[in-house]
């Protein structure tokens, strides 16, 4: 398979949302939320945006505390990580004011429990004090759960709901394969595997089968015959 | 005089970062990563990334999980994540700005490897190259040089060792050359780690 980044519909929507937040005036709220099921390319899109925008991409964990987040943030900003919470907080604020950077927090679901909400509140403080864009990304329930916290939710001005993978995305993805994937296989993928992660595995198995059997084009019949769908369980 | 109201203008974000910083950040976030994914996300070329990974592997920062074909499917693990600052990599020297430490990559040149494995009076070129872990294509060049220096010479009539043509090794001269390389008195391009 060719190694190429596909600009999926979901990625484009997310990228546009970040750009739109960046263009807002300093005084306007600039928080965003992306949510959706697994396998829709959320994390991969975030990685790409982080690389392009020089953004700080943090992945929330169940073990996160205010202190650990401050240390992580200070490290990413390249400021001293020693000292107590208020000192680290001040350093991070100063750094973000002098050199603003977009902050992206992935897997926000880990922070939506009442015991962890204080960490989210800290991000709100960063947002209010520095005016930088903070974009949260989580699973589909994160939108519903965040709604309960009205003062927080009111600052979120961009919402991106990750949609099931579009036909065009699957077509572009299949184009990266070393073998020609026929339209009936693409249709089958859309119906049965609307998830790029699964399709990638299928294509890799299919390529192996095709290279062993000297096949250059794959239609649905060949795909079924290859057993790529079932892997080793065939 | 009218002053510009700054609250209505958007912030100017710090966007620029080097390709190496992008690669380093990706590796820190995804400690076990696939070669192809790094290329895709950071947009760096295959050769550029391969050079970075080669250097970081040599200094013990990165480890290959499993070699897979094609190379882009190969997985690596970042063993040492020392901080947010990306290291500088210049011709065999890695400088870690997080630790303020310079690490030089020590490579044994192929000639030294070959000489170290010339330990019998009659050996085949293939055995020497295989034992030394040097590809035959590279070794061949050095065998020509060693023949000129009369360290390796042919045997008449032809004899065979390990199924391939045997050569006489002048162990004394080989030992002398090893010493000369170590002392820096034998100077030839590629023979020393320079």
């Amino acid at each position: 398979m060719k190694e190429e980044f596909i600009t999926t519909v979901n990625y484009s929507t997310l990228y546009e949302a970040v750009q739109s937040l960046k263009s807002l005036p300093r005084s306007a709220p600039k928080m965003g939320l992306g949510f959706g099921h697994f396998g829709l390319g959320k994390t991969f899109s975030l990685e790409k945006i982080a690389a392009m925008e020089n953004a700080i991409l943090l992945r929330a964990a169940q073990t996160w505390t205010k202190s650990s987040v401050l240390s992580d943030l200070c490290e990413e900003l390249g400021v001293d990580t020693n000292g107590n919470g208020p000192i680290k907080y001040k350093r991070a604020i100063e750094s973000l004011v002098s050199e603003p950077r977009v902050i992206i927090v992935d897997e926000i679901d880990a922070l939506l429990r009442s015991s962890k909400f204080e960490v989210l509140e800290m991000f709100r403080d960063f947002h209010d004090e520095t005016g930088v864009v903070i974009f949260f990304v989580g699973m589909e329930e994160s939108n519903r759960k965040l709604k309960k916290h009205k003062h927080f939710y009111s600052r979120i001005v961009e919402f991106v709901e990750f949609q099931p993978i579009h036909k065009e995305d699957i077509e572009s993805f299949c184009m990266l394969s070393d073998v020609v994937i026929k339209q009936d296989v693409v249709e089958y993928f859309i119906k049965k595997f609307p998830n790029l992660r699964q399709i990638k595995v299928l294509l890799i198995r299919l390529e192996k089968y095709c290279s062993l059997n000297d096949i250059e084009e794959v239609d649905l019949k060949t795909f079924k015959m290859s057993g790529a769908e079932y892997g080793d369980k065939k | 005089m009218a002053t510009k109201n700054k609250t209505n203008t958007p912030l100017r974000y710090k966007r620029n970062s080097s390709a190496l910083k992008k690669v380093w950040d990706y590796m820190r976030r995804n400690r076990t990563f696939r070669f192809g994914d790094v290329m895709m996300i950071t947009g760096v070329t295959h050769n550029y990334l391969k050079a970075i990974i080669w250097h970081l592997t040599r200094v013990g920062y990165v480890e290959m999980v499993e070699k897979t074909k094609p190379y882009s499917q190969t997985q690596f693990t970042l063993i040492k994540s020392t901080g947010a600052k990306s290291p500088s990599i210049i011709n065999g020297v890695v400088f870690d700005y997080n630790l303020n430490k310079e690490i030089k990559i020590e490579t044994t040149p192929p000639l030294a490897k070959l000489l170290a494995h010339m330990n019998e009076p009659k050996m085949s070129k293939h055995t020497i190259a295989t034992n030394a872990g040097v590809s035959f294509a590279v070794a061949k060049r050095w065998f020509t040089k060693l023949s000129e220096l009369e360290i390796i010479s042919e045997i008449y009539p032809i004899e065979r060792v390990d199924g391939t043509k045997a050569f006489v090794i002048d162990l004394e001269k080989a030992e002398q050359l090893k010493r000369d390389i170590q002392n820096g008195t034998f100077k030839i391009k590629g023979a020393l780690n320079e």
Side-chain angles (χ1 to χ4, degrees):
Chain A
M1 263 186 98
K2 291 177 207 91
E3 300 295 340
E4 218 173 275
F5 183 82
I6 300 173
T7 312
T8 60
V9 176
N10 281 332
Y11 166 76
S12 302
T13 320
L14 188 68
Y15 183 73
E16 277 163 22
V18 173
Q19 294 308 317
S20 143
L21 286 173
K22 274 178 73 181
S23 62
L24 289 172
R26 285 163 202 245
S27 52
K30 287 191 279 293
M31 277 192 184
L33 175 67
F35 55 96
H37 288 277
F38 66 93
L40 300 179
K42 288 195 295 288
T43 303
F44 223 61
S45 302
L46 291 182
E47 285 285 358
K48 186 73 181 172
I49 290 171
M52 283 170 70
E53 296 292 326
N54 189 22
I56 296 168
L57 174 55
L58 302 168
R59 219 157 270 157
Q62 301 290 343
T63 50
W64 259 17
T65 59
K66 282 205 285 188
S67 172
S68 70
V69 175
L70 281 172
S71 296
D72 287 353
L73 204 56
C74 283
E75 193 185 325
E76 292 303 320
L77 291 166
V79 294
D80 192 1
T81 53
N82 294 318
N84 56 26
I87 291 174
K88 283 190 275 189
Y89 179 77
K90 210 175 164 190
R91 276 190 209 125
I93 293 278
E94 274 164 17
S95 173
L96 283 170
V97 168
S98 59
E99 279 186 342
R101 284 174 74 183
V102 174
I103 299 174
I104 302 171
V105 185
D106 193 11
E107 313 285 2
I108 192 199
D109 310 74
L111 307 177
L112 293 174
R113 283 184 294 145
S114 55
S115 58
K116 294 281 174 197
F117 205 75
E118 57 176 28
V119 179
L120 270 184
E121 290 285 5
M122 194 176 69
F123 279 110
R124 183 177 65 100
D125 293 341
F126 273 117
H127 168 265
D128 291 357
E129 287 204 40
T130 63
V132 295
V133 170
I134 302 188
F135 208 97
F136 298 101
V137 177
M139 298 298 281
E140 65 279 13
E141 306 90 35
S142 50
N143 184 34
R144 186 176 46 81
K145 285 183 185 170
L146 265 178
K147 258 185 199 166
K148 290 178 199 163
H149 308 277
K150 285 184 184 150
H151 64 292
F152 193 93
Y153 201 72
S154 64
R155 284 168 171 81
I156 302 175
V157 289
E158 279 286 344
F159 293 88
V160 177
E161 186 172 2
F162 282 78
Q163 301 296 330
I165 299 297
H166 287 67
K167 189 185 170 186
E168 302 86 70
D169 297 340
I170 296 180
E171 275 172 349
S172 325
F173 201 67
C174 289
M175 296 260 275
L176 296 181
S177 174
D178 294 339
V179 289
V180 179
I181 308 289
K182 293 273 189 177
Q183 196 57 34
D184 53 354
V185 184
V186 175
E187 297 289 343
Y188 185 71
F189 284 167
I190 295 165
K191 223 186 291 170
K192 234 183 154 189
F193 307 100
N195 179 318
L196 289 184
R197 216 178 279 166
Q198 286 171 315
I199 295 174
K200 189 173 188 174
V201 176
L202 293 176
L203 289 180
I204 290 170
R205 284 183 194 152
L206 199 58
E207 280 176 2
K208 269 188 192 165
Y209 173 82
C210 290
S211 107
L212 285 173
N213 296 287
D214 211 12
I215 298 169
E216 283 175 2
E217 280 187 356
V218 180
D219 57 10
L220 193 57
K221 197 179 160 197
T222 321
F223 174 74
K224 294 262 182 190
M225 219 160 61
S226 72
E229 210 173 332
Y230 307 103
D232 295 334
K233 286 181 240 161
K234 189 184 162 186
Chain B
M1 200 173 81
T3 51
K4 203 175 169 186
N5 185 3
K6 275 201 161 186
T7 54
N8 288 329
T9 55
L11 283 172
R12 290 184 71 180
Y13 289 85
K14 190 191 171 193
R15 251 193 98 172
N16 54 331
S17 68
S18 70
L20 183 56
K21 168 82 173 138
K22 286 179 187 172
V23 171
W24 178 250
D25 281 346
Y26 184 86
M27 292 195 294
R28 283 193 312 122
R29 285 194 294 265
N30 307 275
R31 294 292 288 263
T32 296
F33 56 88
R34 210 175 58 88
F35 187 91
D37 286 345
V38 187
M39 266 171 66
M40 242 191 283
I41 294 296
T42 58
V44 297
T45 62
H46 185 279
N47 287 350
Y48 178 80
L49 184 60
K50 208 171 173 183
I52 291 175
I53 302 254
W54 184 87
H55 278 83
L56 293 178
T57 308
R58 284 302 180 105
V59 295
Y61 276 46
V62 169
E63 198 179 72
M64 187 189 280
V65 178
E66 193 188 358
K67 194 170 185 176
T68 328
K69 271 191 177 177
Y71 192 74
S72 57
Q73 297 286 349
T74 308
Q75 284 202 328
F76 294 90
T77 305
L78 178 70
I79 312 164
K80 278 189 202 169
S81 172
T82 51
K85 291 174 192 163
S86 59
S88 99
I89 297 173
I90 305 163
N91 287 341
V93 180
V94 176
F95 190 89
D96 190 332
Y97 288 100
N98 301 298
L99 308 173
N100 259 334
K101 191 178 156 193
E102 186 183 271
I103 311 160
K104 270 192 181 169
I105 298 169
E106 295 296 335
T107 51
T108 314
L111 178 60
K113 281 187 193 171
L114 293 170
L115 285 170
H117 288 85
M118 288 183 185
N119 39 24
E120 281 173 48
K122 278 181 191 175
M123 286 180 90
S124 78
K125 286 181 178 176
H126 271 280
T127 311
I128 300 168
T130 313
N131 292 350
V134 177
S135 75
F136 197 73
V138 174
K140 222 167 130 183
R141 185 185 146 215
W142 290 112
F143 288 140
T144 315
K145 195 78 213 166
L146 291 170
S147 298
E148 285 170 19
L149 296 168
E150 294 172 349
I151 293 173
I152 285 183
S153 43
E154 295 200 22
I155 310 171
Y156 295 104
I158 291 169
E159 283 181 35
R160 288 189 180 272
V161 189
D162 307 327
T164 46
K165 195 176 162 186
F167 290 82
V168 175
I169 315 284
D170 189 331
L171 292 173
E172 217 170 278
K173 278 187 182 171
E175 208 46 55
Q176 183 58 46
L177 184 59
K178 258 195 259 179
R179 276 197 294 273
D180 289 347
I181 290 174
Q182 273 169 4
N183 301 335
T185 45
F186 179 77
K187 286 209 167 129
I188 182 166
K189 200 184 166 198
L192 298 166
N193 192 19
E194 287 179 334

